[in-house]
């Protein structure tokens, strides 16, 4: 199984460096305006936000030494970034030691990072990198809640070495009223054999599975990186993370257990 050997996390401030280029800013503004117009959405007055290429590039440099080439890179995100014309996963493959095969996972909400772990496991590679990113701006008017901060988490996994091993479970189309029962069973099964496991729930999961004083609740306002932010912080022991996407109704869990 894949074992987590190194993780890094970072919050980013301001806007992407690429937005300092007036020509690029104008082109991207027009691009998003064209996309939003058929839906009756107006573009925002001033384009802001962050580039996942810039965010993830910094995390790759922090987490992956040149002496540890990566075979597979998975980029997981939900909200699009401010450089829609770039194939970001391919760009990151160019930056990452080993020039790995790369995937981008989106349109799954907060389930994307969990799917990324499954992709890494199923490909059976020697070394894989999972990068989870979210930026806090939308280029058009929307009632959708955006993250509070630009944040990213990178996790380097290896096959057969290191201190932790990951198991993943995903449940599609789970209604809110069915979450408590499904979550209770999943946590019990994944915790078996891991005494003292630390359970970290996303804010959205804790909202529909309340009254869990023995569990850690991730910060609100970071729907994609919330639980992974906690996982990157944990250095010892076993950690079980759980998330629920109320819009797409995905219920997901992963356990990273001490050997």
């Amino acid at each position: 199984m894949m074992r987590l050997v190194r993780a890094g996390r970072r919050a980013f401030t301001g806007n992407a460096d690429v937005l300092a280029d007036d020509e690029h800013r104008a082109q991207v503004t027009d691009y998003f305006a064209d996309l939003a117009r058929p839906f009756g959405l107006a573009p925002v007055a001033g384009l802001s936000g962050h580039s996942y290429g810039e965010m993830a590039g910094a995390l790759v440099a922090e987490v992956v030494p040149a002496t540890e080439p990566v075979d597979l890179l998975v980029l997981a995100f939900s909200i699009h970034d401010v450089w829609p014309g770039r194939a970001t996963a391919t760009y990151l493959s160019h930056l990452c030691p080993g020039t790995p095969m790369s995937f981008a996972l989106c349109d799954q909400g907060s389930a994307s990072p969990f799917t990324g772990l499954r992709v890494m496991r199923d490909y059976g590679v020697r070394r894989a990198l999972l990068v989870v990113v979210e930026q806090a701006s939308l280029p058009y008017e929307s009632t959708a809640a955006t993250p509070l901060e630009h944040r990213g988490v990178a996790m380097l996994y290896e096959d057969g070495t290191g201190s932790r091993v990951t198991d993943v479970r995903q449940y599609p189309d789970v209604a809110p009223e069915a979450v408590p029962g499904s979550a209770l069973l999943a946590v019990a099964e994944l915790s078996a054999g891991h005494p003292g496991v630390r359970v970290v729930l996303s804010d959205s999961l804790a909202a529909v599975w309340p009254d869990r004083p023995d569990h850690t609740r991730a910060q609100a306002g970071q729907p994609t990186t919330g639980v992974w932010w906690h996982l990157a912080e944990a250095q010892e022991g076993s950690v079980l993370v759980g998330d629920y996407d109320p819009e797409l109704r995905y219920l997901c869990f992963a356990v990273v257990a001490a050997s």
Side-chain angles (χ1 to χ4, degrees):
M1 290 186 176
M2 301 297 290
R3 297 172 181 263
L4 178 63
V5 294
R6 192 175 302 112
R9 64 180 192 174
R10 185 180 297 191
F12 297 82
T13 58
N15 290 322
D17 291 341
V18 69
L19 292 184
D21 183 291
D22 291 338
E23 182 178 355
H24 179 81
R25 177 188 287 270
Q27 290 174 348
V28 174
T29 298
D30 290 343
Y31 175 87
F32 281 120
D34 288 343
L35 288 182
R37 189 175 298 111
F39 301 95
L41 302 175
V44 295
L47 182 65
S48 64
H50 231 290
S51 161
Y52 291 150
E54 293 177 23
M55 295 168 67
L59 289 164
V60 169
E62 176 183 340
V63 172
V64 186
T67 55
E68 299 180 19
V70 171
D71 304 302
L72 175 66
L73 184 151
V74 179
L75 176 71
F77 63 96
S78 180
I79 294 177
H80 51 68
D81 69 11
V82 295
W83 197 336
R86 178 164 65 181
T88 305
T90 303
Y91 168 73
L92 294 175
S93 174
H94 173 71
L95 295 182
C96 186
T99 317
M101 176 172 57
S102 60
F103 287 91
L105 293 172
C106 59
D107 294 332
Q108 296 186 16
S110 61
S112 294
F114 295 88
T115 302
L117 289 177
R118 291 176 57 195
V119 169
M120 289 161 45
R121 179 190 62 193
D122 293 347
Y123 264 79
V125 296
R126 179 190 56 177
R127 187 175 291 121
L129 181 70
L130 175 63
V131 182
V132 185
V133 286
E134 61 186 342
Q135 62 97 13
S137 300
L138 284 174
Y140 45 79
E141 295 178 355
S142 174
T143 59
T146 56
L148 296 178
E149 292 184 312
H150 311 305
R151 283 190 177 186
V153 180
M155 294 162 278
L156 183 65
Y157 291 82
E158 289 185 353
D159 182 16
T161 61
S163 60
R164 299 171 181 177
V165 58
T166 300
D167 193 8
V168 186
R169 295 192 186 179
Q170 291 181 287
Y171 306 90
D173 197 22
V174 180
E177 60 271 18
V179 167
S182 298
L184 186 64
L185 179 61
V187 169
E189 291 179 348
L190 288 171
S191 298
H194 306 301
V197 64
R198 178 187 177 196
V199 179
V200 179
L201 307 179
S202 70
D203 181 66
S204 58
L205 176 53
V208 293
W209 190 29
D211 304 321
R212 311 299 301 179
D214 52 335
H215 297 168
T216 301
R217 185 168 183 165
Q219 177 186 343
Q222 304 295 153
T224 307
T225 62
V227 294
W228 308 103
W229 190 262
H230 279 267
L231 181 59
E233 178 186 36
Q235 298 297 316
E236 298 180 355
S238 302
V239 182
L240 190 158
V241 295
D243 209 335
Y244 178 65
D245 191 307
E247 298 294 329
L248 301 178
R249 309 212 308 184
Y250 287 122
L251 178 64
C252 302
F253 295 92
V255 60
V256 181
S259 299

